[in-house]
Amino acid sequence: MEKTLKIKLVKSLNGRLEKQIATAYSLGLKKIGQTTEQPDNAATRGKIKTIIHLIEVTE
């Protein structure tokens, strides 16, 4: 079974860089409080690193 990461958006996307907003959308996050599960791989880890200050990650 593949490991997954639970990612929750905890800060607003208003006023953020376009790249950060696009990254959040690619993870399936649009609204504050929204949670998504993503596979634990290098691509997802890279996206998380880009917006770590806006999200909460649970393994």
Side-chain angles (χ1 to χ4, degrees), residues 1-4 19 22-23 25 29-30 40 46-49:
M1 190 174 126
E2 192 176 334
K3 284 186 170 184
T4 59
K19 182 180 177 182
T23 302
Y25 280 14
L29 302 169
K30 293 185 180 182
D40 186 2
K47 291 176 186 178
I48 288 170
K49 192 174 180 184

Side-chain angles (χ1 to χ4, degrees), residues 16-52:
R16 304 295 175 183
L17 298 173
E18 283 185 33
K19 182 180 177 182
Q20 293 172 344
I21 295 170
T23 302
Y25 280 14
S26 74
L27 288 170
L29 302 169
K30 293 185 180 182
K31 296 181 180 178
I32 296 176
Q34 199 171 13
T35 307
T36 182
E37 281 198 23
Q38 298 290 328
D40 186 2
N41 58 33
T44 304
R45 292 279 179 175
K47 291 176 186 178
I48 288 170
K49 192 174 180 184
T50 306
I51 57 168
I52 191 68

